[in-house]
Amino acid sequence: MGTVQLNNQGAEVRILQELLNLNGIIVTVDGMFGSKTYDAVTAFQKHHFDENSNPLLVDGIVGPSTWKSLMAYDKRITPGHGTTGDTYTLARIDLLHPKLREEVRKIYSEILQSNLRIRITDTLRSFDEQARLYAQGRTAPGKIVTKAKPGQSYHNYGLAVDFALLLPGGNKVSWDMDLDLNNNHKADWLEVVAIFKHYGWTWGGDWSFKDYPHFEKTFGYTTHQLLTLHQCLNNNNAYVNI
Ligand SMILES: [Zn+2]
């Protein structure tokens, strides 16, 4: 495969565009290396490495290293990644409060249809997990990561979602809010935020104490009210009745 760059056209450009799509960066396959293909190539180069694990040069020119990295797409794909959805994400949706599962499946499918790739990194968090998280930076090593004691987070009731962007290849995530991996000149992070908000979810990025990966749907309950409901349950691991 020869070197291809801006304003080239032909069969090799067509192969390039097909490979970009296989790597999760969506471009039209028309055999013309225009500005959209150029943007897609630089987006790919920013997040991939050559055979010696050095970052690719971000120059929009497809030479031997970029070709090789593009062709390694099949080695990076993990089972469950693709238009059908990310296995971890689907499993975590199933842990949400029963009232939210169907809605988040719909949200996730809308996200996939918009050529956005995310991983839901957390949904339900048990009281024990919350206690461990709260201890971090206080009675246990590490940095403080939460202000919420067990029962004080909507995650404890399966009413919250945390997410990150899934990088091409499907096994690495990113919290970079400027990424535009679907190459439509809009930040993927904010596209995801818009979809959740459309379904009436509250975004942690709108709070004064920013929590950008976080969404919650509270049905008007405070965590204090939910805790009271939770204490009435016979089974500590059941979902509260709302
Ligand atoms: Zn959260």
Side-chain angles (χ1 to χ4, degrees):
M1 214 71 74
T3 296
V4 295
Q5 54 190 295
L6 192 61
N7 298 327
N8 288 167
Q9 46 182 287
E12 289 191 333
V13 176
R14 189 174 286 273
I15 293 167
L16 164 67
Q17 290 165 332
E18 264 156 8
L19 283 168
L20 286 165
N21 284 309
L22 286 169
N23 280 279
I25 301 175
I26 310 304
V27 288
T28 308
V29 179
D30 59 6
M32 314 279 286
F33 199 131
S35 62
K36 284 193 175 148
T37 300
Y38 178 90
D39 289 348
V41 168
T42 55
F44 177 83
Q45 288 173 328
K46 267 183 217 164
H47 302 289
H48 290 87
F49 301 87
D50 66 19
E51 61 270 39
N52 301 315
S53 302
N54 295 312
L56 291 172
L57 192 62
V58 183
D59 57 6
I61 298 170
V62 184
S65 295
T66 300
W67 276 121
K68 231 176 233 171
S69 186
L70 279 163
M71 287 180 207
Y73 70 89
D74 56 339
K75 297 188 191 72
R76 287 191 294 266
I77 288 173
T78 51
H81 174 65
T83 47
T84 53
D86 168 56
T87 316
Y88 295 93
T89 297
L90 295 168
R92 285 167 185 149
I93 290 173
D94 287 339
L95 292 172
L96 281 165
H97 191 282
K99 267 200 157 173
L100 290 175
R101 282 176 207 164
E102 208 42 55
E103 179 169 289
V104 176
R105 282 189 202 112
K106 258 172 88 183
I107 291 173
Y108 184 46
S109 108
E110 210 168 290
I111 285 169
L112 288 170
Q113 278 162 21
S114 309
N115 292 321
L116 298 159
R117 295 291 177 266
I118 67 161
R119 172 163 294 166
I120 290 180
T121 56
D122 210 354
T123 51
L124 178 69
R125 202 182 286 149
S126 70
F127 280 48
D128 286 349
E129 284 172 88
Q130 190 69 37
R132 276 198 295 277
L133 219 52
Y134 184 77
Q136 196 178 314
R138 295 187 175 88
T139 54
K143 268 199 214 165
I144 288 187
V145 287
T146 184
K147 298 192 297 186
K149 292 180 184 172
Q152 294 179 342
S153 163
Y154 285 100
H155 284 289
N156 303 146
Y157 309 98
L159 299 175
V161 166
D162 294 334
F163 84 105
L165 297 176
L166 198 54
L167 294 176
N171 49 23
K172 278 191 189 146
V173 295
S174 168
W175 287 269
D176 182 344
M177 290 177 62
D178 297 325
L179 286 183
D180 177 24
L181 297 169
N182 66 356
N183 204 33
N184 66 351
H185 303 283
K186 291 184 217 161
D188 292 0
W189 198 278
L190 296 179
E191 288 187 75
V192 173
V193 168
I195 293 172
F196 269 91
K197 283 188 175 180
H198 179 78
Y199 284 85
W201 288 62
T202 301
W203 180 40
D206 288 328
W207 299 338
S208 49
F209 184 81
K210 302 286 183 201
D211 190 357
Y212 294 107
H214 177 100
F215 298 101
E216 60 188 37
K217 196 158 197 180
T218 68
F219 298 98
Y221 288 92
T222 63
T223 53
H224 187 78
Q225 289 170 319
L226 291 167
L227 185 57
T228 307
L229 290 170
H230 189 263
Q231 282 158 349
C232 299
L233 293 170
N234 298 322
N235 175 356
N236 197 39
N237 291 317
Y239 296 93
V240 297
N241 220 332
I242 50 176

